[in-house]
Amino acid sequence: MSIVKRQHYVWRHYLRPWADNDNIWTHFTQLNKIERTSLMDVAQERYFYKLVDFTDAEETFLKNYIDKFSPTVVKPLNFDFLNLFTSTSKLKEQLYKTVNPAVDKEKYTEEIRKLEINLMEIGHGKMENLGQKLIAYRSLEDLKTIEQDDYLFDAIMFLCFQYFRTKSMRTSALQSFVGGPYEELAKKSWNILSYVTATTFAKKISLDRKIKFIFHENNTTEHFITCDQPIFNIFNDKVDENGEVKDLELYYPISPKHALTIHFRDDQADKYVGNSADKELINLFNKKVIENSDFYVFADTKEQLERLK
């Protein structure tokens, strides 16, 4: 097993509709520069998903968290994730305790290190496979096939993992723990908690009878853009008196010409509808993409990024 050093928190295959020969126009927002760069070099960080060791007390806390907050249907899956992603520390402990001279400790230590670095990256790769059909949709009729072969839950699961896996989401989630008693544990465990939160969120919204989909087709010269937080809540800036977000409408561009929104309003009669997006709506969506980006904004042309930066 080779080590994956550069671990992407935005799926490269998802970004390909905006790319040409695996190179993509990118606005590095914090550097205020626009460059055409390789998909390998964006939305990634060295060892982003590397696993860490937990004490017995910390692992017990995580088990209690899963038991308390996970819906019954996904609770076994979340416990499986926890067991999988804490297995490397247990393997190290077993290896440390072994006294068998035939065991090549140096060799097995290196293999465990590879697992620590790669295991969660491999897990995200399997989740990405769930989105292969979804990101290939190019029409309302394509979208309506999401109900076939029980694919709806898989598609929602994929979207939720893309929502919670990013660097932007990690930074945002950990902000609420700063200065509190669980700040360090939250930092250590966020990669695991992101899995647990994604499955919980996916189960909740996929079973909501009010769930509605809009497939947006873009026939204008102003294309949809995307960023390093590719799916987000359009209304995440609308909060109540307690600071809680009041509404949920997920936006997910899937190509320069196609985008998807998922909402739970009653004003849409059919579960699936199509929309021919005009420039006003496209500009609104693109503005929201920029607002929700962390470091990278992507487009299929340099000119569009220059207009929007």
Side-chain angles (χ1 to χ4, degrees):
M1 178 191 297
S2 59
I3 290 176
V4 181
K5 295 180 180 179
R6 291 189 289 183
Q7 298 181 336
H8 291 79
Y9 47 86
V10 178
W11 188 19
R12 279 181 292 150
H13 185 56
Y14 160 75
L15 291 174
R16 285 199 169 101
W18 287 270
D20 179 24
N21 197 27
D22 272 9
N23 291 297
I24 191 167
W25 284 108
T26 305
H27 180 202
F28 298 83
T29 57
Q30 296 177 29
L31 302 177
N32 196 29
K33 70 176 182 177
I34 296 173
E35 290 183 357
R36 192 165 180 260
T37 188
S38 168
L39 291 178
M40 279 296 296
D41 296 330
V42 296
Q44 56 83 26
E45 189 172 295
R46 285 174 65 89
Y47 308 131
F48 187 75
Y49 298 116
K50 186 177 184 293
L51 299 172
V52 297
D53 296 336
F54 294 95
T55 66
D56 290 342
E58 289 170 338
E59 193 170 330
T60 297
F61 176 88
L62 292 173
K63 288 178 180 178
N64 290 337
Y65 179 92
I66 291 172
D67 188 55
K68 181 176 181 179
F69 293 106
S70 297
T72 302
V73 178
V74 296
K75 190 176 293 187
L77 176 62
N78 286 342
F79 277 124
D80 286 344
F81 283 142
L82 178 63
N83 290 333
L84 178 64
F85 296 139
T86 56
S87 62
T88 54
S89 60
K90 294 181 175 63
L91 288 173
K92 284 194 290 187
E93 185 178 353
Q94 292 173 8
L95 184 62
Y96 175 78
K97 290 179 178 179
T98 188
V99 293
N100 186 345
V103 174
D104 187 339
K105 289 192 174 184
E106 185 175 337
K107 172 187 174 182
Y108 286 110
T109 296
E110 177 60 18
E111 291 303 311
I112 293 171
R113 188 177 80 90
K114 291 177 182 178
L115 281 175
E116 281 181 327
I117 294 170
N118 289 351
L119 197 55
M120 186 163 279
E121 169 82 358
I122 293 169
H124 276 296
K126 294 185 180 300
M127 289 300 166
E128 288 166 352
N129 288 336
L130 298 180
Q132 291 278 3
K133 290 198 315 187
L134 179 68
I135 66 171
Y137 289 163
R138 294 296 180 263
S139 69
L140 176 60
E141 294 309 309
D142 287 344
L143 176 61
K144 288 180 178 178
T145 67
I146 202 170
E147 300 275 0
Q148 297 175 5
D149 302 320
D150 296 323
Y151 180 59
L152 176 60
F153 179 68
D154 286 349
I156 296 295
M157 180 76 87
F158 162 76
L159 290 173
C160 289
F161 269 81
Q162 305 321 296
Y163 183 81
F164 286 105
R165 72 181 286 188
T166 65
K167 185 175 182 179
S168 174
M169 182 56 67
R170 180 175 69 179
T171 301
S172 175
L174 294 180
Q175 188 63 37
S176 62
F177 292 94
V178 172
Y182 299 113
E183 179 177 358
E184 290 306 312
L185 178 56
K187 289 179 181 177
K188 287 179 64 174
S189 61
W190 173 247
N191 281 339
I192 293 177
L193 293 179
S194 69
Y195 264 68
V196 172
T197 308
T199 60
T200 300
F201 193 47
K203 197 62 184 178
K204 178 181 178 181
I205 67 175
S206 64
L207 292 179
D208 194 320
R209 294 182 179 181
K210 292 185 176 181
I211 191 170
K212 306 284 176 57
F213 298 80
I214 305 175
F215 190 85
H216 302 277
E217 295 193 60
N218 179 353
N219 296 308
T220 78
T221 57
E222 195 73 14
H223 292 176
F224 294 125
I225 63 173
T226 190
C227 70
D228 49 3
Q229 181 62 45
I231 180 169
F232 56 86
N233 179 12
I234 291 175
F235 298 122
N236 56 13
D237 57 345
K238 308 295 184 184
V239 298
D240 60 21
E241 61 275 9
N242 297 317
E244 299 292 330
V245 175
K246 295 188 290 185
D247 295 303
L248 175 65
E249 181 167 338
L250 297 173
Y251 173 66
Y252 187 57
I254 54 179
S255 85
K257 290 291 188 179
H258 309 90
L260 183 67
T261 50
I262 302 173
H263 68 88
F264 305 87
R265 301 189 307 271
D266 294 325
D267 59 355
Q268 179 178 316
D270 296 328
K271 188 172 183 179
Y272 304 97
V273 300
N275 175 54
S276 180
D278 58 22
K279 282 191 176 182
E280 183 179 0
L281 181 61
I282 294 163
N283 287 331
L284 172 63
F285 284 154
N286 287 344
K287 178 184 176 185
K288 290 290 186 180
V289 167
I290 294 169
E291 290 174 356
N292 282 274
S293 67
D294 178 41
F295 192 81
Y296 304 96
V297 175
F298 306 107
D300 60 337
T301 68
K302 180 181 182 180
E303 292 72 23
Q304 187 168 19
L305 289 178
E306 287 177 333
R307 289 196 304 273
L308 293 171
K309 69 181 262 190

